[in-house]
Amino acid sequence: MTLQWLPGDFAHPLRVEVAPGVHVRPISPDDTEIDMVAVMGNREMLWAKYGEEWGWPPEDMTADEDRADLDRHAREMVTHESFNYAIMPEDESAIWGCIYIDPPELDVEAVPLEAEVSWWVVAEAPTGVADALAAFVPAWLERDWPFEQVRYPFGEVR
């Protein structure tokens, strides 16, 4: 199902610099190997944040299940149903976290145009990445996205 959430002519960003040596780009099924390391290596933190609401990540998630999940995210980005951006070093050798941009749960055609946004950063990310993301995400959403209101249901921005 394709939601009529964003303007028809909206083009989502494909790569955006966060800080020197750190960028975000749409996640893809080709990222499964490094995504598994990031997710399962930080599972307790992710479950504490998302587990009750999303049931994710399951304790026994396999690479095939992760690949299917990443494939779903990639398809949803093409149809602008939702967005999942990987937080990565310049060489893309790791995933340091993800940013999720979703329509509001209740009323997709609500005015003003809203989004629900959340992100996470792995414990082993270099010093400063989490702080850079906390400054970057709200500014990026205001600069490059058509939202009039952004909610942070998991408390990233207070």
Side-chain angles (χ1 to χ4, degrees):
M1 171 177 104
T2 302
L3 304 174
Q4 295 302 314
W5 173 41
L6 297 170
D9 63 349
F10 177 71
H12 64 276
L14 298 179
R15 180 184 166 107
V16 184
E17 298 302 312
V18 173
V22 182
H23 67 276
V24 298
R25 66 150 170 84
I27 202 160
S28 109
D30 293 337
D31 297 320
T32 299
E33 185 177 331
I34 57 176
D35 188 61
M36 281 292 291
V37 172
V39 170
M40 298 313 281
N42 292 271
R43 186 190 171 280
E44 287 84 19
M45 177 269 295
L46 292 169
W47 186 263
K49 184 169 189 164
Y50 300 113
E52 186 174 322
E53 181 82 16
W54 296 354
W56 179 85
E59 189 172 358
D60 57 352
M61 183 171 70
T62 67
D64 287 341
E65 291 167 332
D66 191 35
R67 178 177 289 281
D69 196 38
L70 297 181
D71 184 59
R72 176 182 55 81
H73 285 302
R75 287 191 319 271
E76 289 173 346
M77 284 188 282
V78 168
T79 59
H80 285 182
E81 291 177 64
S82 69
F83 301 87
N84 180 343
Y85 282 84
I87 304 162
M88 309 181 95
E90 188 63 35
D91 67 2
E92 298 197 355
S93 61
I95 289 180
W96 287 340
C98 286
I99 303 168
Y100 306 107
I101 304 170
D102 297 303
E105 283 293 317
L106 299 176
D107 188 358
V108 173
E109 296 185 21
V111 175
L113 184 60
E114 295 182 355
E116 292 185 352
V117 177
S118 177
W119 68 86
W120 55 272
V121 176
V122 297
E124 58 275 9
T127 302
V129 170
D131 289 340
L133 256 292
F136 165 79
V137 173
W140 177 50
L141 293 171
E142 186 173 332
R143 182 186 69 232
D144 294 344
W145 294 79
F147 306 123
E148 295 172 40
Q149 291 184 354
V150 176
R151 288 184 277 159
Y152 300 91
F154 295 97
E156 289 80 1
V157 174
R158 298 190 197 292

